[in-house]
Amino acid sequence: MKRSRRQFLKVASLSVAGLGAQLAAGGVTKAAAAVKPSYKEDALALKAKRWAMVIDTREFASKEDFDACINACNFAHNVPEIPGKTEIKWIWKDAYEHTFTETTNKYQSKEIEDREYFMLCNHCENPPCVRVCPTQATYKLENGIVAMDYHRCIGCRFCMAGCPFGARSFNFTDPRPYIKEINPKFPTRMIGVVEKCNFCVERLDEGKLPACVEAAPGKIHFGDLSDPESEVRKLLEENYTLRRKPALGTEPGVFYII
């Protein structure tokens, strides 16, 4: 049935007025609370007070070493392979000068400067992306992981501006046609939303380590930073490590053994 513009505006006005009345009375809030889904944690879920990652850069010597991690991550999370400047990246590699911009030694080892290094979301203790997001689409979990709710994202890209590590990507186009093989266990995204590494929180809930960690045994380590007996803490005590842009005070959760 066709409606005139006047009829459409009248119905819309009544709908908005009704919604306003419900909000004033708290009806919508109560209804939303009533249908809030329950969450039952898997008995096998891996737990930590503060998840952290330690990347042993000495172990990544070839293109194949890097590609194994990138491909594992891309498949696990349906990361599209969009060519050009609108590419989507969860984990990628780059040069030393782009990774560690706050050089502490002017005369650095050439071997270290010539290496390539992984980049990804740093899951900061003090994440600026969370502070600037107007819809709480990006938020911090109790275990330190900075997560995202794609349904809340309005595409304002404030989080991208707030992130000092360039760890977020924006879907300027529909990403689904660019996914080589769909993983039905993880949701695909849509045009107009931001995405990034999530430390494989969905795998941790199933008792599995992050995809990149499994793809690089002995090269990338993952554990509880707050536990003095954890593998990551022992590696940090025994090796010289760097974090990206430490002077900013975000306290990144990704460490690099140099």
Side-chain angles (χ1 to χ4, degrees):
M1 180 181 69
K2 291 185 178 181
R3 287 180 176 175
S4 67
R5 182 170 178 272
R6 184 184 296 275
Q7 289 174 319
F8 174 79
L9 291 173
K10 183 178 180 181
V11 171
S13 298
L14 290 172
S15 299
V16 171
L19 177 60
Q22 277 194 300
L23 287 171
V28 172
T29 304
K30 292 176 182 177
V35 297
K36 185 178 180 181
S38 60
Y39 174 74
K40 186 177 182 181
E41 191 176 67
D42 194 311
L44 299 176
L46 300 180
K47 300 177 182 179
K49 290 184 178 179
R50 171 84 196 279
W51 286 114
M53 180 176 286
V54 177
I55 302 173
D56 192 341
T57 66
R58 303 167 298 186
E59 298 294 331
F60 288 89
S62 67
K63 180 179 182 296
E64 289 72 26
D65 291 335
F66 287 98
D67 286 349
C69 297
I70 295 171
N71 293 336
C73 175
N74 287 356
F75 172 73
H77 304 106
N78 292 317
V79 179
E81 296 186 19
I82 303 175
K85 294 182 179 180
T86 58
E87 65 179 329
I88 304 296
K89 300 181 294 186
W90 281 41
I91 182 170
W92 68 101
K93 60 181 180 178
D94 210 329
Y96 176 88
E97 62 181 356
H98 297 152
T99 310
F100 305 107
T101 55
E102 298 177 2
T103 306
T104 55
N105 184 1
K106 183 178 180 180
Y107 302 102
Q108 186 62 267
S109 160
K110 190 175 187 305
E111 189 273 331
I112 290 177
E113 288 188 343
D114 288 344
R115 287 184 203 164
E116 290 184 300
Y117 299 84
F118 269 132
M119 287 190 182
L120 64 156
C121 173
N122 282 263
H123 297 276
C124 303
E125 179 71 24
N126 307 308
C129 56
V130 172
R131 293 200 302 272
V132 300
C133 179
T135 63
Q136 296 184 334
T138 185
Y139 55 98
K140 184 181 170 187
L141 300 175
E142 291 182 357
N143 57 19
I145 292 178
V146 177
M148 277 204 66
D149 184 339
Y150 305 117
H151 298 288
R152 283 179 173 267
C153 181
I154 59 174
C156 67
R157 290 179 279 171
F158 284 7
C159 61
M160 295 179 71
C163 175
F165 305 104
R168 292 167 172 265
S169 300
F170 182 73
N171 285 286
F172 285 95
T173 186
D174 182 3
R176 297 182 180 98
Y178 298 93
I179 300 174
K180 282 189 174 181
E181 182 181 356
I182 296 287
N183 174 15
K185 293 184 178 181
F186 196 83
T188 58
R189 275 72 70 197
M190 62 189 295
I191 186 172
V193 300
V194 175
E195 58 182 273
K196 68 172 192 69
C197 158
N198 66 351
F199 261 2
C200 285
V201 64
E202 78 287 349
R203 290 174 58 87
L204 296 175
D205 283 345
E206 296 176 349
K208 301 175 183 177
L209 289 171
C212 63
V213 177
E214 284 194 355
K219 300 175 183 178
I220 302 181
H221 308 267
F222 196 74
D224 190 350
L225 189 63
S226 66
D227 180 5
E229 300 302 317
S230 68
E231 181 186 21
V232 292
R233 280 288 295 273
K234 291 179 180 179
L235 285 169
L236 294 177
E237 291 174 2
E238 298 168 359
N239 297 275
Y240 176 68
T241 59
L242 291 178
R243 288 191 291 180
R244 298 186 64 201
K245 302 183 179 181
L248 296 180
T250 65
E251 295 293 332
V254 177
F255 298 78
Y256 298 83
I257 296 178
I258 302 299

